[in-house]
Amino acid sequence: MNILDFINSKTSFIILAWNSEKYIESCLRSVLALECARLDVRIIDNGSADCTPDIIAKLAKEDERIHPIYEPMNLGTTVSRNCLLYTSPSPRDKRQ
């Protein structure tokens, strides 16, 4: 894939967060800074006890490409990742 293919692509990110207040804003801002035509950021907070959910909510209000899910408890990486994949549009989804 060359740079023009990437810029014109539909690119999705699946991000899992748990007590990540020190890093989550820089993580999301670096993803949002990518130059691609259709960017989709799916993030799940796994019951963080710090300010991670607040930071995610603030950034999601600023940018409609962020699609957060908030879980009240830590579900672990496998369940959380599957939850995000289940809510993500498939390549055949007409909403793209």
Side-chain angles (χ1 to χ4, degrees), residues 44-75:
I44 188 165
D45 177 72
N46 262 328
S48 293
D50 62 4
C51 293
T52 301
D54 299 329
I55 296 166
I56 294 169
K58 179 187 87 161
L59 294 172
K61 282 184 181 180
E62 293 175 9
D63 197 310
E64 64 186 23
R65 299 173 295 175
I66 300 174
H67 305 281
I69 295 175
Y70 305 96
E71 290 295 336
M73 58 189 261
N74 191 327
L75 302 175

Side-chain angles (χ1 to χ4, degrees), residues 3-50:
I3 190 70
L4 291 177
D5 290 336
F6 178 74
I7 290 171
N8 294 318
S9 72
K10 161 80 174 182
T11 306
S12 297
F13 284 84
I14 302 293
I15 301 171
L16 283 61
W18 181 70
N19 290 339
S20 304
E21 69 183 3
K22 292 180 182 179
Y23 313 104
I24 197 63
E25 184 166 358
S26 62
C27 171
L28 288 170
R29 291 204 185 277
S30 68
V31 169
L32 295 171
L34 294 172
E35 294 182 22
C36 54
R38 294 173 293 154
L39 182 65
D40 179 51
V41 181
R42 305 284 167 158
I43 183 165
I44 188 165
D45 177 72
N46 262 328
S48 293
D50 62 4

